[in-house]
PDB file of all heavy atoms in Angstrom:
ATOM      1  N   GLY A  28     139.987  54.181 127.953  1.00  0.00           N
ATOM      2  CA  GLY A  28     139.278  55.131 128.817  1.00  0.00           C
ATOM      3  C   GLY A  28     140.083  55.510 130.050  1.00  0.00           C
ATOM      4  O   GLY A  28     139.722  55.099 131.162  1.00  0.00           O
ATOM      5  N   ILE A  29     141.151  56.262 129.856  1.00  0.00           N
ATOM      6  CA  ILE A  29     141.964  56.732 130.984  1.00  0.00           C
ATOM      7  C   ILE A  29     141.939  58.239 131.056  1.00  0.00           C
ATOM      8  O   ILE A  29     141.548  58.915 130.101  1.00  0.00           O
ATOM      9  CB  ILE A  29     143.433  56.218 130.897  1.00  0.00           C
ATOM     10  CG1 ILE A  29     144.105  56.790 129.656  1.00  0.00           C
ATOM     11  CG2 ILE A  29     143.486  54.710 130.885  1.00  0.00           C
ATOM     12  CD1 ILE A  29     145.595  56.517 129.609  1.00  0.00           C
ATOM     13  N   THR A  30     142.378  58.773 132.176  1.00  0.00           N
ATOM     14  CA  THR A  30     142.437  60.210 132.379  1.00  0.00           C
ATOM     15  C   THR A  30     143.137  60.887 131.204  1.00  0.00           C
ATOM     16  O   THR A  30     144.121  60.336 130.695  1.00  0.00           O
ATOM     17  CB  THR A  30     143.208  60.490 133.680  1.00  0.00           C
ATOM     18  OG1 THR A  30     142.659  59.737 134.732  1.00  0.00           O
ATOM     19  CG2 THR A  30     143.147  61.981 134.039  1.00  0.00           C
ATOM     20  N   ASP A  31     142.677  62.017 130.769  1.00  0.00           N
ATOM     21  CA  ASP A  31     143.232  62.852 129.715  1.00  0.00           C
ATOM     22  C   ASP A  31     142.907  62.345 128.302  1.00  0.00           C
ATOM     23  O   ASP A  31     143.312  62.962 127.331  1.00  0.00           O
ATOM     24  CB  ASP A  31     144.740  63.027 129.831  1.00  0.00           C
ATOM     25  CG  ASP A  31     145.168  63.605 131.147  1.00  0.00           C
ATOM     26  OD1 ASP A  31     144.484  64.540 131.615  1.00  0.00           O
ATOM     27  OD2 ASP A  31     146.174  63.129 131.727  1.00  0.00           O
ATOM     28  N   ASN A  32     142.247  61.216 128.161  1.00  0.00           N
ATOM     29  CA  ASN A  32     141.996  60.657 126.848  1.00  0.00           C
ATOM     30  C   ASN A  32     140.553  60.870 126.358  1.00  0.00           C
ATOM     31  O   ASN A  32     140.155  60.321 125.342  1.00  0.00           O
ATOM     32  CB  ASN A  32     142.367  59.157 126.800  1.00  0.00           C
ATOM     33  CG  ASN A  32     142.608  58.692 125.411  1.00  0.00           C
ATOM     34  OD1 ASN A  32     142.968  59.442 124.523  1.00  0.00           O
ATOM     35  ND2 ASN A  32     142.442  57.384 125.217  1.00  0.00           N
ATOM     36  N   SER A  33     139.778  61.674 127.046  1.00  0.00           N
ATOM     37  CA  SER A  33     138.376  61.901 126.650  1.00  0.00           C
ATOM     38  C   SER A  33     138.228  62.415 125.224  1.00  0.00           C
ATOM     39  O   SER A  33     137.330  61.939 124.498  1.00  0.00           O
ATOM     40  CB  SER A  33     137.702  62.902 127.597  1.00  0.00           C
ATOM     41  OG  SER A  33     137.560  62.332 128.851  1.00  0.00           O
ATOM     42  N   PRO A  34     139.057  63.368 124.743  1.00  0.00           N
ATOM     43  CA  PRO A  34     138.880  63.820 123.360  1.00  0.00           C
ATOM     44  C   PRO A  34     139.047  62.697 122.326  1.00  0.00           C
ATOM     45  O   PRO A  34     138.284  62.634 121.365  1.00  0.00           O
ATOM     46  CB  PRO A  34     139.987  64.877 123.196  1.00  0.00           C
ATOM     47  CG  PRO A  34     140.289  65.346 124.552  1.00  0.00           C
ATOM     48  CD  PRO A  34     140.083  64.141 125.446  1.00  0.00           C
ATOM     49  N   MET A  35     139.990  61.790 122.537  1.00  0.00           N
ATOM     50  CA  MET A  35     140.168  60.716 121.599  1.00  0.00           C
ATOM     51  C   MET A  35     139.032  59.689 121.668  1.00  0.00           C
ATOM     52  O   MET A  35     138.641  59.119 120.641  1.00  0.00           O
ATOM     53  CB  MET A  35     141.530  60.023 121.821  1.00  0.00           C
ATOM     54  CG  MET A  35     142.713  60.880 121.463  1.00  0.00           C
ATOM     55  SD  MET A  35     142.781  61.405 119.744  1.00  0.00           S
ATOM     56  CE  MET A  35     143.305  59.928 118.943  1.00  0.00           C
ATOM     57  N   LEU A  36     138.492  59.466 122.847  1.00  0.00           N
ATOM     58  CA  LEU A  36     137.330  58.571 122.990  1.00  0.00           C
ATOM     59  C   LEU A  36     136.111  59.152 122.247  1.00  0.00           C
ATOM     60  O   LEU A  36     135.411  58.435 121.557  1.00  0.00           O
ATOM     61  CB  LEU A  36     136.987  58.327 124.443  1.00  0.00           C
ATOM     62  CG  LEU A  36     137.971  57.552 125.276  1.00  0.00           C
ATOM     63  CD1 LEU A  36     137.485  57.447 126.717  1.00  0.00           C
ATOM     64  CD2 LEU A  36     138.229  56.181 124.700  1.00  0.00           C
ATOM     65  N   SER A  37     135.896  60.456 122.434  1.00  0.00           N
ATOM     66  CA  SER A  37     134.777  61.109 121.770  1.00  0.00           C
ATOM     67  C   SER A  37     134.960  61.090 120.248  1.00  0.00           C
ATOM     68  O   SER A  37     133.995  60.875 119.500  1.00  0.00           O
ATOM     69  CB  SER A  37     134.645  62.559 122.233  1.00  0.00           C
ATOM     70  OG  SER A  37     134.355  62.591 123.605  1.00  0.00           O
ATOM     71  N   ARG A  38     136.174  61.272 119.831  1.00  0.00           N
ATOM     72  CA  ARG A  38     136.461  61.239 118.394  1.00  0.00           C
ATOM     73  C   ARG A  38     136.193  59.823 117.833  1.00  0.00           C
ATOM     74  O   ARG A  38     135.630  59.696 116.735  1.00  0.00           O
ATOM     75  CB  ARG A  38     137.919  61.631 118.148  1.00  0.00           C
ATOM     76  CG  ARG A  38     138.259  61.788 116.728  1.00  0.00           C
ATOM     77  CD  ARG A  38     139.641  62.387 116.563  1.00  0.00           C
ATOM     78  NE  ARG A  38     140.117  62.118 115.241  1.00  0.00           N
ATOM     79  CZ  ARG A  38     141.386  62.070 114.887  1.00  0.00           C
ATOM     80  NH1 ARG A  38     142.325  62.275 115.781  1.00  0.00           N
ATOM     81  NH2 ARG A  38     141.746  61.791 113.658  1.00  0.00           N
ATOM     82  N   TYR A  39     136.557  58.784 118.594  1.00  0.00           N
ATOM     83  CA  TYR A  39     136.294  57.416 118.157  1.00  0.00           C
ATOM     84  C   TYR A  39     134.781  57.189 118.041  1.00  0.00           C
ATOM     85  O   TYR A  39     134.310  56.645 117.045  1.00  0.00           O
ATOM     86  CB  TYR A  39     136.893  56.416 119.147  1.00  0.00           C
ATOM     87  CG  TYR A  39     136.723  54.990 118.734  1.00  0.00           C
ATOM     88  CD1 TYR A  39     137.510  54.457 117.716  1.00  0.00           C
ATOM     89  CD2 TYR A  39     135.771  54.172 119.331  1.00  0.00           C
ATOM     90  CE1 TYR A  39     137.342  53.128 117.306  1.00  0.00           C
ATOM     91  CE2 TYR A  39     135.622  52.854 118.911  1.00  0.00           C
ATOM     92  CZ  TYR A  39     136.412  52.338 117.914  1.00  0.00           C
ATOM     93  OH  TYR A  39     136.240  51.043 117.519  1.00  0.00           O
ATOM     94  N   TRP A  40     134.003  57.626 119.021  1.00  0.00           N
ATOM     95  CA  TRP A  40     132.565  57.454 118.986  1.00  0.00           C
ATOM     96  C   TRP A  40     131.992  58.151 117.755  1.00  0.00           C
ATOM     97  O   TRP A  40     131.164  57.607 117.043  1.00  0.00           O
ATOM     98  CB  TRP A  40     131.928  58.014 120.260  1.00  0.00           C
ATOM     99  CG  TRP A  40     130.454  57.853 120.308  1.00  0.00           C
ATOM    100  CD1 TRP A  40     129.773  56.772 120.775  1.00  0.00           C
ATOM    101  CD2 TRP A  40     129.453  58.759 119.847  1.00  0.00           C
ATOM    102  NE1 TRP A  40     128.415  56.953 120.651  1.00  0.00           N
ATOM    103  CE2 TRP A  40     128.202  58.180 120.084  1.00  0.00           C
ATOM    104  CE3 TRP A  40     129.517  60.022 119.252  1.00  0.00           C
ATOM    105  CZ2 TRP A  40     127.003  58.794 119.730  1.00  0.00           C
ATOM    106  CZ3 TRP A  40     128.311  60.639 118.916  1.00  0.00           C
ATOM    107  CH2 TRP A  40     127.080  60.035 119.155  1.00  0.00           C
ATOM    108  N   TYR A  41     132.446  59.372 117.501  1.00  0.00           N
ATOM    109  CA  TYR A  41     131.969  60.144 116.344  1.00  0.00           C
ATOM    110  C   TYR A  41     132.299  59.434 115.038  1.00  0.00           C
ATOM    111  O   TYR A  41     131.445  59.315 114.145  1.00  0.00           O
ATOM    112  CB  TYR A  41     132.581  61.548 116.376  1.00  0.00           C
ATOM    113  CG  TYR A  41     132.212  62.405 115.179  1.00  0.00           C
ATOM    114  CD1 TYR A  41     130.912  62.883 115.046  1.00  0.00           C
ATOM    115  CD2 TYR A  41     133.156  62.669 114.208  1.00  0.00           C
ATOM    116  CE1 TYR A  41     130.566  63.648 113.936  1.00  0.00           C
ATOM    117  CE2 TYR A  41     132.820  63.447 113.106  1.00  0.00           C
ATOM    118  CZ  TYR A  41     131.523  63.918 112.968  1.00  0.00           C
ATOM    119  OH  TYR A  41     131.196  64.667 111.873  1.00  0.00           O
ATOM    120  N   GLU A  42     133.525  58.931 114.895  1.00  0.00           N
ATOM    121  CA  GLU A  42     133.926  58.237 113.667  1.00  0.00           C
ATOM    122  C   GLU A  42     133.116  56.973 113.452  1.00  0.00           C
ATOM    123  O   GLU A  42     132.741  56.650 112.335  1.00  0.00           O
ATOM    124  CB  GLU A  42     135.429  57.934 113.700  1.00  0.00           C
ATOM    125  CG  GLU A  42     136.351  59.133 113.639  1.00  0.00           C
ATOM    126  CD  GLU A  42     136.244  59.924 112.349  1.00  0.00           C
ATOM    127  OE1 GLU A  42     135.956  59.332 111.293  1.00  0.00           O
ATOM    128  OE2 GLU A  42     136.448  61.149 112.396  1.00  0.00           O
ATOM    129  N   VAL A  43     132.858  56.233 114.537  1.00  0.00           N
ATOM    130  CA  VAL A  43     132.037  55.011 114.415  1.00  0.00           C
ATOM    131  C   VAL A  43     130.619  55.363 113.985  1.00  0.00           C
ATOM    132  O   VAL A  43     130.044  54.680 113.117  1.00  0.00           O
ATOM    133  CB  VAL A  43     132.057  54.209 115.729  1.00  0.00           C
ATOM    134  CG1 VAL A  43     131.006  53.102 115.747  1.00  0.00           C
ATOM    135  CG2 VAL A  43     133.438  53.637 115.987  1.00  0.00           C
ATOM    136  N   THR A  44     130.049  56.418 114.540  1.00  0.00           N
ATOM    137  CA  THR A  44     128.670  56.776 114.126  1.00  0.00           C
ATOM    138  C   THR A  44     128.658  57.228 112.672  1.00  0.00           C
ATOM    139  O   THR A  44     127.688  56.921 111.957  1.00  0.00           O
ATOM    140  CB  THR A  44     128.060  57.877 115.039  1.00  0.00           C
ATOM    141  OG1 THR A  44     128.932  58.988 115.071  1.00  0.00           O
ATOM    142  CG2 THR A  44     127.816  57.361 116.426  1.00  0.00           C
ATOM    143  N   LYS A  45     129.674  57.909 112.219  1.00  0.00           N
ATOM    144  CA  LYS A  45     129.757  58.314 110.811  1.00  0.00           C
ATOM    145  C   LYS A  45     129.814  57.080 109.921  1.00  0.00           C
ATOM    146  O   LYS A  45     129.160  57.011 108.881  1.00  0.00           O
ATOM    147  CB  LYS A  45     130.985  59.206 110.550  1.00  0.00           C
ATOM    148  CG  LYS A  45     130.755  60.654 110.840  1.00  0.00           C
ATOM    149  CD  LYS A  45     131.886  61.587 110.478  1.00  0.00           C
ATOM    150  CE  LYS A  45     133.041  61.055 109.707  1.00  0.00           C
ATOM    151  NZ  LYS A  45     134.154  62.009 109.519  1.00  0.00           N
ATOM    152  N   LEU A  46     130.645  56.104 110.304  1.00  0.00           N
ATOM    153  CA  LEU A  46     130.761  54.870 109.523  1.00  0.00           C
ATOM    154  C   LEU A  46     129.420  54.123 109.492  1.00  0.00           C
ATOM    155  O   LEU A  46     129.013  53.608 108.447  1.00  0.00           O
ATOM    156  CB  LEU A  46     131.836  53.948 110.117  1.00  0.00           C
ATOM    157  CG  LEU A  46     133.263  54.364 109.903  1.00  0.00           C
ATOM    158  CD1 LEU A  46     134.188  53.509 110.747  1.00  0.00           C
ATOM    159  CD2 LEU A  46     133.639  54.252 108.431  1.00  0.00           C
ATOM    160  N   LEU A  47     128.775  54.069 110.627  1.00  0.00           N
ATOM    161  CA  LEU A  47     127.480  53.398 110.703  1.00  0.00           C
ATOM    162  C   LEU A  47     126.456  54.068 109.778  1.00  0.00           C
ATOM    163  O   LEU A  47     125.761  53.399 109.023  1.00  0.00           O
ATOM    164  CB  LEU A  47     126.985  53.416 112.160  1.00  0.00           C
ATOM    165  CG  LEU A  47     125.875  52.479 112.542  1.00  0.00           C
ATOM    166  CD1 LEU A  47     126.203  51.035 112.199  1.00  0.00           C
ATOM    167  CD2 LEU A  47     125.603  52.611 114.045  1.00  0.00           C
ATOM    168  N   PHE A  48     126.414  55.377 109.815  1.00  0.00           N
ATOM    169  CA  PHE A  48     125.525  56.139 108.934  1.00  0.00           C
ATOM    170  C   PHE A  48     125.820  55.857 107.466  1.00  0.00           C
ATOM    171  O   PHE A  48     124.936  55.582 106.671  1.00  0.00           O
ATOM    172  CB  PHE A  48     125.658  57.650 109.230  1.00  0.00           C
ATOM    173  CG  PHE A  48     124.848  58.526 108.333  1.00  0.00           C
ATOM    174  CD1 PHE A  48     123.482  58.619 108.466  1.00  0.00           C
ATOM    175  CD2 PHE A  48     125.474  59.289 107.347  1.00  0.00           C
ATOM    176  CE1 PHE A  48     122.744  59.450 107.650  1.00  0.00           C
ATOM    177  CE2 PHE A  48     124.757  60.117 106.504  1.00  0.00           C
ATOM    178  CZ  PHE A  48     123.369  60.192 106.659  1.00  0.00           C
ATOM    179  N   LYS A  49     127.108  55.874 107.107  1.00  0.00           N
ATOM    180  CA  LYS A  49     127.521  55.647 105.741  1.00  0.00           C
ATOM    181  C   LYS A  49     127.102  54.250 105.247  1.00  0.00           C
ATOM    182  O   LYS A  49     126.513  54.111 104.172  1.00  0.00           O
ATOM    183  CB  LYS A  49     129.040  55.781 105.635  1.00  0.00           C
ATOM    184  CG  LYS A  49     129.625  55.374 104.310  1.00  0.00           C
ATOM    185  CD  LYS A  49     131.131  55.414 104.354  1.00  0.00           C
ATOM    186  CE  LYS A  49     131.748  54.857 103.068  1.00  0.00           C
ATOM    187  NZ  LYS A  49     133.205  54.885 103.110  1.00  0.00           N
ATOM    188  N   TRP A  50     127.413  53.207 106.037  1.00  0.00           N
ATOM    189  CA  TRP A  50     127.154  51.845 105.585  1.00  0.00           C
ATOM    190  C   TRP A  50     125.689  51.456 105.675  1.00  0.00           C
ATOM    191  O   TRP A  50     125.225  50.615 104.911  1.00  0.00           O
ATOM    192  CB  TRP A  50     128.061  50.869 106.285  1.00  0.00           C
ATOM    193  CG  TRP A  50     129.469  51.047 105.776  1.00  0.00           C
ATOM    194  CD1 TRP A  50     130.514  51.641 106.405  1.00  0.00           C
ATOM    195  CD2 TRP A  50     129.945  50.672 104.486  1.00  0.00           C
ATOM    196  NE1 TRP A  50     131.610  51.672 105.606  1.00  0.00           N
ATOM    197  CE2 TRP A  50     131.295  51.074 104.404  1.00  0.00           C
ATOM    198  CE3 TRP A  50     129.377  50.047 103.363  1.00  0.00           C
ATOM    199  CZ2 TRP A  50     132.072  50.856 103.262  1.00  0.00           C
ATOM    200  CZ3 TRP A  50     130.153  49.838 102.252  1.00  0.00           C
ATOM    201  CH2 TRP A  50     131.491  50.242 102.211  1.00  0.00           C
ATOM    202  N   LEU A  51     124.933  52.063 106.585  1.00  0.00           N
ATOM    203  CA  LEU A  51     123.499  51.797 106.592  1.00  0.00           C
ATOM    204  C   LEU A  51     122.841  52.389 105.353  1.00  0.00           C
ATOM    205  O   LEU A  51     121.862  51.854 104.832  1.00  0.00           O
ATOM    206  CB  LEU A  51     122.839  52.373 107.861  1.00  0.00           C
ATOM    207  CG  LEU A  51     123.086  51.571 109.151  1.00  0.00           C
ATOM    208  CD1 LEU A  51     122.461  52.283 110.333  1.00  0.00           C
ATOM    209  CD2 LEU A  51     122.605  50.142 109.029  1.00  0.00           C
ATOM    210  N   ASN A  52     123.371  53.482 104.877  1.00  0.00           N
ATOM    211  CA  ASN A  52     122.807  54.122 103.657  1.00  0.00           C
ATOM    212  C   ASN A  52     123.262  53.397 102.394  1.00  0.00           C
ATOM    213  O   ASN A  52     122.745  53.665 101.315  1.00  0.00           O
ATOM    214  CB  ASN A  52     123.210  55.579 103.584  1.00  0.00           C
ATOM    215  CG  ASN A  52     122.254  56.449 104.357  1.00  0.00           C
ATOM    216  OD1 ASN A  52     121.037  56.173 104.371  1.00  0.00           O
ATOM    217  ND2 ASN A  52     122.761  57.452 105.006  1.00  0.00           N
ATOM    218  N   ARG A  53     124.190  52.474 102.484  1.00  0.00           N
ATOM    219  CA  ARG A  53     124.628  51.728 101.306  1.00  0.00           C
ATOM    220  C   ARG A  53     123.935  50.363 101.223  1.00  0.00           C
ATOM    221  O   ARG A  53     124.344  49.510 100.451  1.00  0.00           O
ATOM    222  CB  ARG A  53     126.123  51.521 101.328  1.00  0.00           C
ATOM    223  CG  ARG A  53     126.842  52.852 101.108  1.00  0.00           C
ATOM    224  CD  ARG A  53     128.246  52.641 100.747  1.00  0.00           C
ATOM    225  NE  ARG A  53     128.830  53.926 100.411  1.00  0.00           N
ATOM    226  CZ  ARG A  53     130.054  54.056  99.982  1.00  0.00           C
ATOM    227  NH1 ARG A  53     130.853  53.007  99.870  1.00  0.00           N
ATOM    228  NH2 ARG A  53     130.538  55.240  99.685  1.00  0.00           N
ATOM    229  N   ARG A  54     122.933  50.163 102.043  1.00  0.00           N
ATOM    230  CA  ARG A  54     122.213  48.893 102.018  1.00  0.00           C
ATOM    231  C   ARG A  54     121.291  48.781 100.797  1.00  0.00           C
ATOM    232  O   ARG A  54     120.936  47.715 100.385  1.00  0.00           O
ATOM    233  CB  ARG A  54     121.392  48.720 103.303  1.00  0.00           C
ATOM    234  CG  ARG A  54     122.286  48.460 104.504  1.00  0.00           C
ATOM    235  CD  ARG A  54     121.616  48.763 105.806  1.00  0.00           C
ATOM    236  NE  ARG A  54     120.351  48.078 106.037  1.00  0.00           N
ATOM    237  CZ  ARG A  54     120.123  47.258 107.028  1.00  0.00           C
ATOM    238  NH1 ARG A  54     121.069  46.965 107.886  1.00  0.00           N
ATOM    239  NH2 ARG A  54     118.966  46.715 107.196  1.00  0.00           N
ATOM    240  N   SER A  55     120.900  49.939 100.279  1.00  0.00           N
ATOM    241  CA  SER A  55     120.041  49.935  99.084  1.00  0.00           C
ATOM    242  C   SER A  55     120.504  51.071  98.180  1.00  0.00           C
ATOM    243  O   SER A  55     121.412  51.824  98.543  1.00  0.00           O
ATOM    244  CB  SER A  55     118.581  50.119  99.480  1.00  0.00           C
ATOM    245  OG  SER A  55     118.395  51.415 100.034  1.00  0.00           O
TER     246      SER A  55
END
C-alpha cells in the first residue's frame, strides 16, 4: 500500500473476491 500502487491493490482485492466466489460455489 504505497503511493501510485492503488490500481494493483484494487486488482488484488477484485481477484481475491473472484476466488472467494468461485470456491464458495464449489462447496456443494
